Every structure is written in structure tokens, then in C-alpha cells.
Amino acid sequence: MNKARQPFAILCILFLMGAFLLACSSNKNEPGSNAAANPAAGNTAATSAPATETAVAANTSSDSAAATRPYTDYRGHTVEIPVNPQRIIYSGETYGDLIALGVQAIGYPLSMGEGQVFEDKLTGVEDVGFPINLEKTLELQPDLIIYAGIEAADFDALSKIAPTIIFDTFAPLKDRMLEIGDILGKTAEAEAWLAQYQTQEDAMWAQLKASGMKEGETASVFTYYPGDRLFVMATTGLSQVLYGENGFKPTPAIQKVLDADMGFQEISMEVIQEYAGDRIFLLTPVADEAKKSTEKLLESAVWKSLPAVKNGHVYTQDIMKTSSDAATREWLLGEIPSMLKQ
């Protein structure tokens, strides 16, 4: 695996396979721009200053709305996108990136936002479904579609509706925020958010070390998925925060997973000791079957023998609230100290 991906995101991607193969044939081409004609174009003969200023303002506004620029996404598609997109449809795992930049999409798969820390910020956003519904997408008349899928058929179908970018929602936070800031014409805002986030993160680690966190302490993040499948998390979600520059250290076994640039790795309960750190963060799963597997783990002799368990250094968190998006990452900076006080 080359990219850090959360387990639930992988399941989401599996559902996308083939969805557009059925829908492509029923879609019509949509003009690439809905910008109004410039009413003030060529109006250079105005005789009064107020009229001239009004015409210039209208001209500037219209030009800004209609202006486009070439953009090449990480899959190699070069697309003409709006300089300042106004009607965005976003279909991907990291909608909280937009929220962090003060941007609200007109359409988003609302099921992907259920249980997320930003769920209450989705009021007024239209549900485009998952897999994405082409008819609903066309109805919303977007001027830009930002899409996390990588299938060529998906890209072709969506491109018939509006300029479409395939976006890497699993890129590291800094890379992703600068990229989405560029796409949305919010580069300054993205840079400011990243600087503020770094300040807050440094302050959190300073606070934790002042309250007893020891230098070199290790941490692990575990979760279950249906099928009695136990995973240790690496370059994804909560672990991305925990293994920050001034944060906890991974165990040697987890370091190997990190070195392989894997979001997570499935392990057996028999080897959990090799991955367990001084602190253990246990993510509460969504599926009932996975919850039962978690309960079974907590009652096992292997679990009870772990030093972190014996020392009371086990912390639980809803897996849906440990996503990689910017809004969640910022929320976690306040949540982690609260968790460690448990």
C-alpha cells in the first residue's frame, strides 16, 4: 500500500467500483462555465466618475467569476478550473479540510459526514450520495467537482458535468492543505491555518510533558474491523497526531509499518505485545461484530498482561472522530489532553 488509508475509506472506495459504468450513458454534456456575460465590457465612454467606477466594478466582478486557469491533478489530468470556484461539489474523506478554510461545498456525500466532528457544519449542504449520484450532481450545476476516486470512468462522467479534479485525500496534512488552498484560491488561508495548527500542536505537547508525559514514551493505536480483524494504525488518523515531532514514539514494530508508508496493518492478537506501547489508544468501531471482537480482546489474558493496561494507560475514542481531515486534526489537539486525564 502506497498511501495512508483508513479502513473505512477503503471500504468506501470498494463501493465506488463500477457505479459510474451504469450511470455514464444517461448523462448529458454541461457547459463548463455558467458565468454571466459581462454587461460592462467595452464601456469606456462613461462620462461620470460614479458610473465609470460602477462599470469597472461590474467588469472586475464578472471577469473574476468567469476567469479560469489550467490545473493538473495528481493523476495527471490537466483541467481548466475557475480561479475562484463558487459552487463546489466535494466527494472525499477529508471534507473537514474545506471547513478549516472557511469553505462550504454545495454538495457532498452526507453519509460520509455522519459521526464526524464536523457533522454539525453540514447544514445546507446537498447530499450527492455515495456512490456519487450523477443526476443530483448535474442538478446542482457546480463550477468545480473535487473527487477522491481514481477510476477513469468516474472522472470522464463527472467531467461532462463540470471541471473535475481527482484529489489525493490521503496525502499528508500539510501537502493536502496547501494543495486544496491552491485549488480554491485560498493559499493564504491554508498557510495561516497550518501555522496556527503547528502553534497549537506545539502547545499541546508542551502541556502534556509538563503534566507527566515522559520523553521517549511510546504509543499504539488499535481497532477492530468485522471478521475479527485487528489492526494497528500507522500513517493515518489519530496516529498521525500522536507521532508528531514532539509527540509519542512508535514501537519498533510500528516503526516498520510507518517506514513502509502504510496507513495500518492487520495483526493477530497473539503478537499484540510486539506493537503495544506505553500508552494504548483503542478506537471504538462502528460495526456490532467489530464491537464484540473488541469486548473479547478486553477480556483476554493477553490484553490484561500488557504494561499499558496494568498501568491504566488505555484510552478509548470513537473511530469516526479520529479522521485525517484538518477540522478533526484540530479538534484532536484539544481532545488528546482530555483523554490522557481519564
Side-chain angles (χ1 to χ4, degrees), residues 286-304:
V286 175
D288 289 338
E289 182 183 351
K291 289 179 181 179
K292 291 179 180 178
S293 294
T294 304
E295 293 170 1
K296 181 180 176 181
L297 171 68
L298 297 179
E299 294 300 320
S300 70
V302 172
W303 176 260
K304 293 178 181 179

Side-chain angles (χ1 to χ4, degrees), residues 312 314-317 335 337-342:
V314 176
Y315 318 96
T316 59
Q317 182 57 264
E335 185 68 10
S338 297
M339 293 168 64
L340 295 184
K341 290 178 182 177
Q342 296 175 0

Side-chain angles (χ1 to χ4, degrees), residues 58-73:
N59 183 46
T60 302
S61 176
S62 180
D63 286 349
S64 176
T68 64
R69 65 183 179 93
Y71 174 85
T72 302
D73 66 26

Side-chain angles (χ1 to χ4, degrees), residues 18 32 64 97 109 115 136 141 183 186 188 192 229 234 283 287 304 312 315 332:
S64 176
D97 294 355
K136 182 63 177 181
Q141 298 184 15
I183 292 168
K186 299 275 185 181
R229 303 175 68 194
L283 305 184
K304 293 178 181 179
Y315 318 96
L332 283 170

Side-chain angles (χ1 to χ4, degrees), residues 13-30:
I13 291 171
L14 291 178
F15 286 122
L16 280 171
M17 301 299 186
F20 287 104
L21 297 179
L22 296 175
C24 289
S25 60
S26 63
N27 283 279
K28 306 295 183 182
N29 287 348
E30 182 73 4

